[in-house]
Amino acid sequence: MVSGVERTVSDDGETAENSDGIAEFYSAVGKLVKLFRERAGLTQRELAERIGYSEDMVGLIERGKRTPRIEFLTVVDPIIDAGGALTVVADDVMKAKVRVSERHPAFSKAFTAEEAKAIEIHDYSTMVIPGLLQTEAYIRALYEMRRPLLSPEKIDEWVAARMARKEILARWPLPVVTWVIDESVLRRPLGGWDMHAEQLQHLLKVGDMRGPELQVMPLDRMSHAGMGGSFALLTPPGRPQMGYVAAQHVNRLITDPVEVRNMAARYSSIRAQALSLRESMALIEQILGER
């Protein structure tokens, strides 16, 4: 460790969920959930309401797009009369997660581990929609336009990995999460307008959630504390806040107290200069209406 910078490495992508048949295993578990739910005469919405999940999250688990939490499987099993089938596979789900974790690149494993257990996550983005807010189509478009080109198999792996990270927003209690997105990101229709419109509509849904706070940095600001580029701040439980920056597929996880404190102060200024949540949602709706 030099000057408090924990590690600086090339970005090797995110967890390879699709390796060794793990994605297929998660898909099979999701199919079991769907089978027993339908036999029990419950809709996805009814099941979601009974267990405190969102309907979208139940659907994603059933389609194998989200890694099912152990708690989800054990709670759902009796509700849908699975007869212990889901409880039995819970241990195998945990083992699959461990295998995935062991395959992480050293830096990616460190970052995703910190993000998954963080009690606070703050993200300022100047180029793309923040990872936890990206739709599956948006994620895939980002990887498909990457240069040098990625193989279809690698794209599938990285899409599944990033989608799995979004489970953070489905747990309870939620961490303290805030985002500030530059307006230019909202006006850049990556992947085509239809897909971009879906992404903007997703942001509006997030804006209606209780807890997370989403703001937009408008283009007309004459003073802007975030001209140094994108960065994130994570606060692990029981440990000091840390910073994270990424540019040109090179990443830094920063633990130096002075540098992190400066990043936190900068983020506070950015939030103060950005639009309020209500103003931000209005701007997103305006951009959607301009098409």
Side-chain angles (χ1 to χ4, degrees):
M1 184 183 300
V2 180
S3 301
V5 178
E6 186 167 298
R7 193 164 298 146
T8 302
V9 300
S10 296
D11 175 12
D12 292 324
E14 304 189 50
T15 315
E17 291 277 12
N18 212 27
S19 302
D20 303 334
I22 289 177
E24 289 80 2
F25 170 62
Y26 289 154
S27 177
V29 172
K31 290 176 181 177
L32 277 178
V33 173
K34 180 179 180 180
L35 173 67
F36 286 115
R37 174 184 58 75
E38 291 179 341
R39 284 185 176 179
L42 294 174
T43 65
Q44 288 182 349
R45 175 174 295 182
E46 290 169 337
L47 177 59
E49 290 175 348
R50 293 183 64 173
I51 63 177
Y53 271 55
S54 69
E55 182 181 357
D56 286 344
M57 182 58 65
V58 172
L60 288 169
I61 290 173
E62 290 188 353
R63 297 196 301 274
K65 300 297 185 181
R66 283 288 194 283
T67 305
R69 295 176 65 90
I70 307 305
E71 296 85 352
F72 173 89
L73 296 172
T74 54
V75 169
V76 165
D77 192 293
I79 293 176
I80 60 178
D81 298 323
L86 300 181
T87 303
V88 167
V89 301
D91 285 343
D92 295 311
V93 170
M94 176 61 73
K95 291 175 184 177
K97 288 185 176 183
V98 170
R99 289 201 303 274
V100 166
S101 176
E102 290 172 347
R103 286 199 305 273
H104 273 240
F107 171 79
S108 181
K109 180 165 62 177
F111 173 72
T112 54
E114 297 294 355
E115 181 189 54
K117 61 191 178 186
I119 58 175
E120 289 190 29
I121 302 171
H122 306 290
D123 192 316
Y124 171 58
S125 184
T126 63
M127 296 300 295
V128 297
I129 302 295
L132 293 179
L133 296 177
Q134 295 171 1
T135 64
E136 182 172 0
Y138 189 91
I139 296 169
R140 185 170 296 278
L142 290 179
Y143 286 136
E144 287 178 346
M145 67 182 70
R146 190 161 175 168
R147 299 294 185 273
L149 291 173
L150 298 172
S151 69
E153 294 77 18
K154 182 62 67 177
I155 291 173
D156 287 342
E157 290 177 9
W158 289 6
V159 168
R162 183 161 295 184
M163 290 295 292
R165 283 173 51 198
K166 296 173 65 173
E167 186 178 345
I168 291 169
L169 300 181
R171 74 187 189 209
W172 189 260
L174 279 170
V176 176
V177 188
T178 68
W179 301 274
V180 181
I181 307 174
D182 195 85
E183 182 182 343
S184 61
V185 176
L186 305 178
R187 295 189 175 279
R188 185 178 298 119
L190 297 179
W193 175 254
D194 289 343
M195 192 208 70
H196 185 63
E198 178 188 32
Q199 175 66 73
L200 295 183
Q201 290 163 355
H202 177 67
L203 295 183
L204 293 175
K205 291 181 181 179
V206 173
D208 286 335
M209 291 176 62
R210 185 166 61 94
E213 298 181 24
L214 171 60
Q215 295 175 258
V216 175
M217 175 66 81
L219 291 173
D220 63 3
R221 288 295 187 258
M222 299 182 68
S223 180
H224 190 333
M227 294 303 292
S230 304
F231 63 93
L233 293 161
L234 301 176
T235 304
R239 290 191 289 124
Q241 191 173 54
M242 60 182 63
Y244 171 71
V245 295
Q248 291 299 316
H249 313 313
V250 177
N251 309 284
R252 294 175 65 210
L253 190 61
I254 302 164
T255 57
D256 177 70
V258 174
E259 192 168 356
V260 174
R261 186 166 60 248
N262 288 338
M263 293 175 71
R266 193 176 308 126
Y267 188 75
S268 294
S269 296
I270 290 170
R271 291 197 70 191
Q273 294 168 344
L275 300 175
S276 67
L277 171 60
R278 180 175 296 181
E279 292 169 334
S280 298
M281 295 302 101
L283 177 58
I284 294 173
E285 289 177 343
Q286 175 187 323
I287 294 172
L288 276 167
E290 290 174 358
R291 185 64 181 181

